[in-house]
């Protein structure tokens, strides 16, 4: 879990820094990776629906 | 040049012109800037707050054999991160158990076992849910033979193993190495349990009866919060060139060997291929997902070249299965760069379980960056294994890492 969190932060930081995505979009991707992409498959409420 | 490429070229030219002529636009760069560390520092605390839906786990007590339908056999040389020499384990033990030591000597690992026993007694039925809380996991997808004490626990979803249905005959010719000599008795035992679950004492007299038993077990497991069937197939056979045999051919083999006798290698593979596809089709009927181990595996005799996710293209791209959701467990690693292109299919997803045990955070980030740049909505996190350290081994595992 800790490894995954730091890995995702590092990957997304590079994507933001190189101009591929904005920071808000990076966090949206992270929420998808850790929660929403899988939650959608299992009918669990999405974080994006809670906001 | 086809129309699509002509159109794409025109758009590319236009985009290039706009990018380089409009001061308000910026072209993505190949190298990160000096701000990358500051961005990382801003993102990480927010990422740490995201509750996790864990796509692939084997939760259970340390002495529960139902956490898998096989056994993790001895590997002569474990990846460096999984060894007790990895200092990160101490941090994991401290976070989960309050581990007070700065080493992982056998004596201190015994303290860990005793602490684990103490918590299990103290927390009772809440033990695993509390472990999920400690790790920030909202829901865990439990790969198990049966849910047992996890049944009706809303924190878990059930993924059940179906490989045993591919091996109903005499398996002695399949035990070609020490690993498979361990695996096949476990598979046979699981098949007997499944048949009993369907109300049978042994194999039905014909293939139709066997298929009915498969359907019955899938239906019953779905009723127990089941969400997917799981194949660990490359531990038992190759994924290369899975064929599409006619039912009549499988039926003839079933009739010939149901009551005894050893099928030839060719005959048995035909039956396995038929059963593999039958199980996928029935998962589709019941709206169950299909999870497939298709990556590196444990043990000295696992054939990596026979467990490559890319060998499943003929299955994944079969139009009959286009409504069925497939999850490539462990993301095809170490063929992850190719595997991400399987996720171009609307019904195929990649799970990244075990990455945290196999590779460094830096390499993990490289793999993920490639994935997230291409199909970010088709990837998922997973912690693999249980949150409980394995005992009687020098290789603890925990989802904390």
């Amino acid at each position: 879990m800790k490894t995954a969190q730091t890995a995702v932060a590092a990957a997304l930081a590079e994507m933001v820094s190189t101009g591929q995505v904005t920071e808000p979009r990076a966090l949206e991707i992270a929420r998808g990776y850790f929660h929403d992409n899988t939650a959608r498959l299992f009918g669990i409420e999405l974080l994006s629906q809670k906001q | 040049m086809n129309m699509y490429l002509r159109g794409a070229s025109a758009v590319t030219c236009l985009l290039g012109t706009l990018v380089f002529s409009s001061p308000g636009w910026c072209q993505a760069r190949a190298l990160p800037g000096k701000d990358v560390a500051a961005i990382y520092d801003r993102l990480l605390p927010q990422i740490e707050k995201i509750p996790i839906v864990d796509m692939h786990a084997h939760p259970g007590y340390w002495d529960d054999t139902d956490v898998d339908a096989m056994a993790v056999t001895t590997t002569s040389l474990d990846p460096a991160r999984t060894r007790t020499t990895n200092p990160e384990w101490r941090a994991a033990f401290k976070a989960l158990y309050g581990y007070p030591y700065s080493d992982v000597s056998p004596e201190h690992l015994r303290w860990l076992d005793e602490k684990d026993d103490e918590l299990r007694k103290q927390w009772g039925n809440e033990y695993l849910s509390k472990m999920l809380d400690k790790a920030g996991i909202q829901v865990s997808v439990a790969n198990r033979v049966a849910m047992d004490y996890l049944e009706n626990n809303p924190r878990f979803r059930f993924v059940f193993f179906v490989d045993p249905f591919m091996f109903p005959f005499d398996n002695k010719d399949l035990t070609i190495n020490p690993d498979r000599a361990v695996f096949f008795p476990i598979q046979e035992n699981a098949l007997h349990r499944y048949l009993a679950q369907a109300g049978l004492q042994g194999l039905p007299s014909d293939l139709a009866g066997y298929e009915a038993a498969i359907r019955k077990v899938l239906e019953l497991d779905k009723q127990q919060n089941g969400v997917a069937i799981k194949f660990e197939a490359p531990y038992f056979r190759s994924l290369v060139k899975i064929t599409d045999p006619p039912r009549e051919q499988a039926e003839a083999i079933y009739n010939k060997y149901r009551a005894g006798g050893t099928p030839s290698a060719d005959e048995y593979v035909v039956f396995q291929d038929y059963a593999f596809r039958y199980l996928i089709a029935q998962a589709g009927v019941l709206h169950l997902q299909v999870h497939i181990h298709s990556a590196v595996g444990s043990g000295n005799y696992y054939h990596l070249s026979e467990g490559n996710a890319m060998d499943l293209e003929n299955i994944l791209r079969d139009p009959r299965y286009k409504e069925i959701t497939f999850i490539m467990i462990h993301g095809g690693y170490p063929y992850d760069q190719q595997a991400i292109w399987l996720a171009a299919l609307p019904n195929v997803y990649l799970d990244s379980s075990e990455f945290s045990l196999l590779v460094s955070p830096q390499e993990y980030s490289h793999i993920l960056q490639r994935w997230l740049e291409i199909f970010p909505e088709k990837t998922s996190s997973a912690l693999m294994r249980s949150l409980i350290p394995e005992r009687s081994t020098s290789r603890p595992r925990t989802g904390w890492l």
Side-chain angles (χ1 to χ4, degrees):
Chain A
M1 175 190 66
K2 291 294 176 192
T3 303
Q5 289 166 335
T6 56
V8 169
L12 291 172
E14 286 215 4
M15 290 168 67
V16 172
S17 181
T18 53
Q20 296 181 68
V21 294
T22 62
E23 275 192 52
R25 172 62 183 147
L27 286 170
E28 194 178 294
I29 291 173
R31 283 192 288 271
Y33 175 75
F34 283 111
H35 190 281
D36 283 0
N37 295 351
T38 307
R40 190 174 287 112
L41 293 173
F42 296 122
I44 297 167
E45 187 182 14
L46 307 183
L47 295 177
S48 54
Q49 288 175 337
K50 288 183 179 174
Q51 294 170 340
Chain B
M1 184 182 286
N2 65 32
M3 290 301 290
Y4 172 78
L5 290 176
R6 278 186 200 161
S9 297
V11 170
T12 305
C13 291
L14 180 62
L15 187 62
T17 306
L18 285 171
V19 163
F20 292 112
S21 61
S22 305
W25 292 50
C26 63
Q27 167 81 36
R29 297 177 299 277
L31 285 175
K34 291 179 181 173
D35 57 350
V36 67
I39 298 169
Y40 172 87
D41 287 341
R42 286 197 296 273
L43 291 177
L44 183 59
Q46 297 182 75
I47 287 171
E48 287 174 335
K49 292 176 188 162
I50 300 172
I52 296 168
V53 180
D54 184 6
M55 173 61 93
H56 179 71
H58 293 257
Y61 301 131
W62 71 272
D63 52 354
D64 179 358
T65 55
D66 273 355
V67 296
D68 213 329
M70 52 167 274
V72 177
T73 47
T74 304
T75 305
S76 297
L77 195 60
D78 289 321
R81 281 180 62 76
T82 66
R83 301 176 202 164
T84 49
T85 48
N86 178 356
E88 291 167 280
W89 291 117
R90 295 199 297 275
F93 295 155
K94 185 172 182 183
L96 287 172
Y97 294 96
Y99 190 68
Y101 305 108
S102 57
D103 61 59
V104 286
S105 67
E107 181 190 341
H108 292 158
L109 285 177
R110 274 198 295 280
W111 178 94
L112 192 67
D113 292 346
E114 287 163 9
K115 185 69 178 176
D116 183 45
D117 288 338
E118 182 188 318
L119 291 180
R120 181 171 160 181
K121 198 172 177 181
Q122 182 184 335
W123 290 343
N125 290 337
E126 292 297 306
Y127 171 83
L128 286 169
S129 296
K130 283 183 179 288
M131 284 294 178
L132 293 186
D133 291 340
K134 280 176 177 273
I137 299 170
Q138 178 189 343
V139 173
S140 179
V141 178
N143 287 235
R144 294 180 52 86
V145 177
M147 282 299 261
D148 306 323
Y149 49 87
L150 291 179
E151 197 175 340
N152 299 322
N153 185 328
R155 303 287 295 276
F156 295 94
R157 303 291 184 275
F158 182 24
V159 174
F160 46 96
F161 303 98
V162 294
D163 303 274
F165 287 116
M166 292 197 291
F167 305 102
F169 309 132
D170 186 333
N171 293 309
K172 71 171 185 288
D173 284 356
L174 300 183
T175 57
I176 55 173
N177 59 52
D179 283 357
R180 289 189 182 176
V182 172
F183 297 154
F184 276 106
I186 299 172
Q187 290 289 297
E188 289 164 0
N189 184 46
L191 179 61
H192 289 145
R193 284 178 66 179
Y194 291 163
L195 292 174
Q197 197 180 352
L200 298 167
Q201 299 295 318
L203 288 174
S205 59
D206 56 25
L207 183 60
Y210 191 62
E211 291 167 336
I214 290 175
R215 292 195 302 273
K216 180 75 175 172
V217 171
L218 265 56
E219 284 165 10
L220 290 171
D221 284 349
K222 184 178 180 182
Q223 288 167 16
Q224 291 179 25
N225 229 356
V227 293
I229 62 171
K230 167 77 179 290
F231 289 104
E232 298 178 307
Y235 281 101
F236 318 120
R237 54 154 291 164
S238 171
L239 295 181
V240 178
K241 292 179 182 168
I242 294 175
T243 61
D244 189 8
R247 185 178 184 281
E248 295 73 25
Q249 200 178 353
E251 187 174 35
I253 295 166
Y254 185 89
N255 290 339
K256 189 173 175 183
Y257 297 107
R258 178 194 67 80
T262 307
S264 70
D266 287 346
E267 286 175 317
Y268 214 163
V269 166
V270 165
F271 185 84
Q272 292 163 28
D273 289 357
Y274 176 81
F276 184 81
R277 285 179 179 270
Y278 185 81
L279 285 157
I280 290 173
Q282 292 311 308
V285 170
L286 293 171
H287 304 291
L288 293 164
Q289 298 168 13
V290 177
H291 293 201
I292 308 178
H293 177 108
S294 44
V296 68
S298 65
N300 283 337
Y301 302 95
Y302 180 88
H303 288 210
L304 184 54
S305 60
E306 294 183 350
N308 187 338
M310 302 310 292
D311 288 321
L312 292 168
E313 273 199 290
N314 66 325
I315 303 292
L316 304 177
R317 297 187 191 279
D318 189 323
R320 291 171 293 179
Y321 309 143
K322 67 181 181 181
E323 303 297 330
I324 300 170
T325 298
F326 289 91
I327 313 292
M328 300 289 98
I329 299 299
H330 312 316
Y333 185 81
Y335 307 112
D336 46 279
Q337 282 196 55
Q338 294 94 335
I340 185 60
W341 292 102
L342 296 173
L345 287 161
N347 57 327
V348 176
Y349 293 76
L350 299 187
D351 131 89
S352 54
S353 54
E354 219 167 37
F355 287 6
S356 57
L357 292 171
L358 299 178
V359 298
S360 67
Q362 187 183 33
E363 175 58 13
Y364 192 158
S365 79
H366 293 160
I367 294 170
L368 266 190
Q369 190 172 338
R370 288 191 289 267
W371 284 9
L372 298 177
E373 286 174 352
I374 300 171
F375 298 120
E377 61 282 273
K378 301 300 287 297
T379 63
S380 69
S381 64
L383 304 175
M384 181 64 180
R385 295 297 163 191
S386 71
L387 288 159
I388 316 306
E390 289 179 5
R391 300 192 184 179
S392 307
T393 77
S394 59
R395 187 177 59 175
R397 285 172 183 256
T398 166
W400 185 263
L401 265 197

